[in-house]
Amino acid sequence: MNTRDSSIAYFLLGLYAIMVSWHYNHSILLLIIHYIFWPIYLIYELLIGHLSHGLWKDIPLSYFK
């Protein structure tokens, strides 16, 4: 994987963290903090179960309905 591919994946996962953060919090301040620390935030969300039972794919789809 070259640098460009990894930077695109990093950016897309950051956007995913923003979508999850807005879905649960609706706070601009938390959105910015979660984007800065998105790898930790996504691992935290996985561990506490907020992305289980298909929510990992339903949250992004809810923005496009």
Side-chain angles (χ1 to χ4, degrees):
M1 190 177 233
N2 62 23
T3 306
R4 184 178 179 128
D5 292 340
S6 63
S7 64
I8 291 171
Y10 192 85
F11 175 72
L12 290 176
L13 285 172
L15 284 178
Y16 183 73
I18 287 174
M19 289 182 190
V20 172
S21 176
W22 187 258
H23 180 78
Y24 286 114
N25 301 311
H26 294 286
S27 169
I28 298 293
L29 180 63
L30 284 176
L31 186 101
I32 293 168
I33 292 170
H34 291 154
Y35 181 70
I36 293 170
F37 301 108
W38 71 261
I40 297 167
Y41 176 68
L42 284 181
I43 291 170
Y44 170 75
E45 289 293 321
L46 283 169
L47 290 176
I48 64 171
H50 277 170
L51 299 177
S52 62
H53 305 292
L55 281 177
W56 66 271
K57 62 181 175 183
D58 290 340
I59 290 172
L61 289 177
S62 69
Y63 290 102
F64 300 107
K65 288 184 180 177

